């Protein structure tokens, strides 16, 4: 199956949207008509819809309802089974740990233009999710939807009172921190490199009430057969995501990433080489990108930024930054700072 020129998502991701907007008193014909959507498409869970349109639908919902956390409300209203094949794959997994791994592994078959990873460290696990910003710019509500859906997978097994340890969000705080933290029962960090639900590794041992290995395998085959992703996920994108999420870790190297991707070191090297890149290139690229982002935050000192980027000394960061931009970090910060309003 040929991929569409724009990333697609299975329509199951919009299950129940017609009923949900009805709670706000919105006219379904007007709502979907403005977006150029046929409600019939949303009623067929294995049909594809444009990912950008899906994200615009969430942003438009927030605009029309005046609810800045519209996506969160929709995501938390979403049972895992409503997500279609990938939701049933999660609920038929043996336990929560396997469910989280299956979500990270199979999301490319459910939604294109997206990187999902599962990382473990010091007794905590990060189930991360990020749409490529070059493909979709407005995606705040989508992030809230997905974190809410992830949370509901865990509550399916652990009960409605379960809470993650932390929620990370790419987007800035829009004044609804208290509402989001109350919904998850956990602290939220805004302006992060990716969106993530952080949970205790011990929670991964909780059994899923509908575990069924044979059903899970059948569902995985069915999802793959839809042709929404390549037979092999984008290793370079997943490697870049892991680097971005672990830049400050002193042990961040090729072995670190290979272990978390559950593949031999040499296999990772070969796949990156085949993709025309390397671990060193990806590491430098992520450091350069995040350096510019951090320098836009006045309260972060150069030494703190150097530490966040994984440099042992601020001087090493300064040398690297001069090589990238031709100027020192402090000079770059002054030249790109927005003028003060008087």
């Amino acid at each position: 199956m040929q991929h569409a020129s724009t990333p697609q998502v299975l329509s199951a991701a919009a299950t129940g949207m017609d009923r949900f907007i009805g709670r706000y008193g919105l006219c379904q014909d007007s709502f979907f008509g403005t977006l150029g959507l046929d409600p019939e498409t949303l009623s067929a869970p294995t049909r594809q819809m444009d990912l950008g349109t899906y994200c615009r639908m969430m942003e438009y919902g927030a605009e029309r309802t005046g609810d800045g956390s519209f996506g969160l409300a929709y995501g938390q209203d979403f049972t895992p089974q409503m997500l279609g094949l990938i939701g049933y794959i999660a609920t038929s997994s043996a336990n929560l740990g396997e469910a989280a791994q299956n979500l990270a592994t199979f999301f490319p078959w459910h939604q294109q233009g997206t990187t999902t990873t599962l990382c473990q460290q010091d007794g905590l696990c990060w189930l991360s999710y990020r749409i490529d910003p070059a493909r979709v710019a407005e995606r705040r509500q989508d992030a809230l939807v997905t974190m809410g859906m992830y949370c509901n997978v865990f509550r399916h097994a652990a009960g409605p009172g379960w809470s993650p340890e932390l929620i990370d969000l790419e987007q800035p705080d829009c004044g609804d921190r208290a509402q989001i933290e109350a919904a998850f029962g956990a602290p939220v960090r805004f302006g992060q490199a990716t969106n993530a639900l952080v949970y205790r590794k011990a929670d991964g041992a909780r059994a899923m009430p509908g575990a069924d290995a044979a059903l899970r395998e059948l569902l995985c085959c069915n999802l793959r057969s839809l042709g929404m992703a390549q037979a092999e996920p984008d290793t370079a994108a997943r490697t870049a995501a892991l680097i971005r999420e672990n830049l400050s870790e002193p042990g961040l190297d090729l072995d670190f990433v290979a272990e978390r991707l559950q593949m031999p070191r040499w296999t990772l090297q070969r796949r990156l080489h085949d993709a025309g890149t390397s671990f060193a290139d990806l590491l430098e690229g992520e450091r350069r990108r995040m350096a510019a982002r951090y320098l836009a935050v006045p309260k972060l000192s150069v030494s703190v930024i150097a530490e966040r980027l994984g440099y042992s000394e601020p001087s090493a960061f300064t040398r690297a930054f001069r090589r990238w931009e031709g100027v020192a970090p402090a000079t770059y910060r002054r030249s790109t700072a927005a003028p003060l309003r008087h």
Side-chain angles (χ1 to χ4, degrees):
M1 175 179 175
Q2 294 295 320
H3 288 186
S5 58
T6 57
Q8 304 287 297
V9 60
L10 293 182
S11 293
T15 299
M17 178 57 73
D18 52 351
R19 296 188 300 274
F20 187 72
I21 62 172
R23 297 181 188 176
Y24 291 89
L26 298 182
C27 171
Q28 295 178 16
D29 290 341
S30 173
F31 184 87
F32 293 119
T34 299
L35 295 164
L37 279 173
D38 179 359
E40 288 295 317
T41 300
L42 307 184
S43 65
T46 58
R47 290 181 66 177
Q48 299 178 17
M49 65 182 295
D50 180 82
L51 179 59
T53 301
Y54 173 80
C55 291
R56 283 196 298 276
M57 178 176 68
M58 296 302 169
E59 300 298 330
Y60 184 58
E63 177 187 333
R64 286 290 306 276
T65 62
D67 182 356
S69 296
F70 175 86
L72 176 60
Y74 178 63
Q76 293 210 303
D77 190 60
F78 215 92
T79 66
Q81 294 85 348
M82 290 168 67
L83 198 52
L85 288 170
I86 196 169
Y88 279 103
I89 287 171
T91 58
S92 62
S93 299
N95 53 46
L96 277 174
E98 185 178 280
Q101 184 60 66
N102 283 332
L103 285 172
T105 299
F106 287 99
F107 221 90
W109 279 269
H110 170 80
Q111 179 174 303
Q112 298 169 346
T114 304
T115 301
T116 51
T117 60
L118 180 64
C119 306
Q120 300 180 16
Q121 187 170 6
D122 298 331
L124 294 176
C125 300
W126 278 258
L127 180 57
S128 303
Y129 167 90
R130 183 175 186 261
I131 292 178
D132 181 353
R135 311 297 291 274
V136 180
E138 296 295 324
R139 56 195 189 280
R140 182 178 193 273
Q141 297 301 322
D142 170 78
L144 292 172
V145 169
T146 305
M147 292 301 101
M149 291 176 178
Y150 279 0
C151 192
N152 276 353
V153 169
F154 280 77
R155 288 173 175 169
H156 178 76
W162 181 87
S163 295
E165 293 295 293
L166 177 70
I167 294 292
D168 278 347
L169 294 172
E170 281 186 277
Q171 306 303 316
D173 184 356
C174 293
D176 50 1
R177 175 189 294 273
Q179 181 182 356
I180 297 174
E181 290 187 340
F184 287 109
V188 175
R189 297 190 302 185
F190 294 93
Q192 300 302 300
T194 189
N195 308 291
L197 180 145
V198 183
Y199 64 94
R200 294 174 295 276
K201 184 178 179 180
D203 284 343
R206 292 176 183 261
M208 295 298 283
D212 187 327
L215 175 61
R216 184 183 67 255
E217 184 58 31
L218 177 62
L219 293 169
C220 290
C221 290
N222 285 345
L223 184 57
R224 289 192 188 99
S225 72
L226 296 177
M228 282 280 286
Q230 300 290 344
E232 185 175 284
D234 187 341
T235 301
R238 296 182 69 195
T239 299
L242 282 167
I243 290 172
R244 184 168 55 249
E245 294 158 19
N246 295 279
L247 274 174
S248 63
E249 292 299 322
L252 178 60
D253 56 16
L254 187 69
D255 292 323
F256 178 99
V257 174
E259 179 182 352
R260 280 152 183 78
L261 291 180
Q262 299 181 344
M263 67 176 67
R265 185 179 195 273
W266 66 268
T267 299
L268 176 57
Q269 279 184 309
R270 175 179 57 79
R271 291 187 181 179
L272 293 178
H273 180 269
D274 291 346
T277 188
S278 67
F279 175 82
D281 288 343
L282 292 173
L283 175 60
E284 181 157 25
E286 289 301 322
R287 279 175 163 171
R288 182 175 183 176
R289 188 178 69 83
M290 293 307 298
R293 184 169 179 174
Y294 287 145
L295 285 168
V297 182
K299 68 179 181 180
L300 293 180
S301 67
V302 170
S303 60
V304 168
I305 293 173
E307 182 179 355
R308 288 193 178 188
L309 296 178
Y311 289 98
S312 57
E313 298 289 340
S315 58
F317 166 53
T318 298
R319 287 194 298 273
F321 197 85
R322 282 185 181 277
R323 187 175 72 253
W324 301 331
E325 306 295 344
V327 296
T331 304
Y332 177 90
R333 169 176 271 168
R334 287 193 298 270
S335 68
T336 58
L340 295 175
R341 294 183 180 180
H342 298 286

